[in-house]
Amino acid sequence: MKKFTLILALIGMITLQSCYTEEVIVDDPIDNDTISEVFELRNVNFNYNNSTGGYFIYRELNPVIFSSDVVLIYRLSDIINANTPVWQLIPRTVYFSNGDELDYDFDFSREDFTIYADGTFNLSTEPDYIYNQTFRIVIVPGYLSNRSATPIDYSDYNGVIAYYGINDKNITTIK
């Protein structure tokens, strides 16, 4: 009986050695369920929060994003001409010649984001920085964040759009 089991094990080992698995290596995996997106908040005003003494803009994300996704927010800081907007990544500090400072910052979760404005002075005295503001919200899927060993300059809006293959020609405006 031992010889029979030994012969059967030997035949099984020889048979299984002829089986192989083909391994396919993909250099640039694409997750078709998750895409990078850009949304725009156009001509929005910051609201004042009495309890914190700061200004904020709050919006919900619908649909919610994946827990691994990253949100980048850019503020329209200037327009060179009709086709050339200037976008600045926030957080951002604006320095004034008199020594005052204005800070833009944000936080986000899977369900929402809040943009903050605060300064070393009464911001209502500089309404151009808290009223009629335009922001671009860029959602980058987490699997793309370590896509390449080449570092990306996230402060360059156009570079980010090109790097992640985002079409920003038909941007959804968030109300």
Side-chain angles (χ1 to χ4, degrees), residues 47-151:
N47 297 308
Y48 185 73
N49 183 334
N50 287 325
S51 64
T52 64
Y55 289 85
F56 72 97
I57 296 169
Y58 171 83
R59 294 294 188 276
E60 292 182 357
L61 294 169
N62 188 9
V64 299
I65 61 176
F66 292 102
S67 60
S68 61
D69 289 351
V70 177
V71 173
L72 303 171
I73 299 182
Y74 297 84
R75 177 181 165 266
L76 180 64
S77 64
D78 198 6
I79 298 176
I80 295 173
N81 60 46
N83 296 320
T84 312
V86 177
W87 298 101
Q88 290 183 333
L89 179 66
I90 62 174
R92 182 83 173 175
T93 300
V94 178
Y95 298 98
F96 295 89
S97 59
N98 65 359
D100 285 338
E101 296 178 12
L102 166 65
D103 295 314
Y104 292 104
D105 202 353
F106 76 99
D107 63 32
F108 72 94
S109 72
R110 293 184 60 230
E111 301 170 356
D112 59 22
F113 64 89
T114 304
I115 304 170
Y116 302 97
D118 198 8
T120 59
F121 63 98
N122 181 352
L123 297 186
S124 64
T125 63
E126 293 287 344
D128 290 346
Y129 292 93
I130 57 173
Y131 298 120
N132 297 315
Q133 297 295 300
T134 299
F135 295 93
R136 291 259 171 105
I137 293 80
V138 180
I139 299 173
V140 178
Y143 77 91
L144 291 176
S145 63
N146 56 5
R147 177 176 170 180
S148 169
T150 306

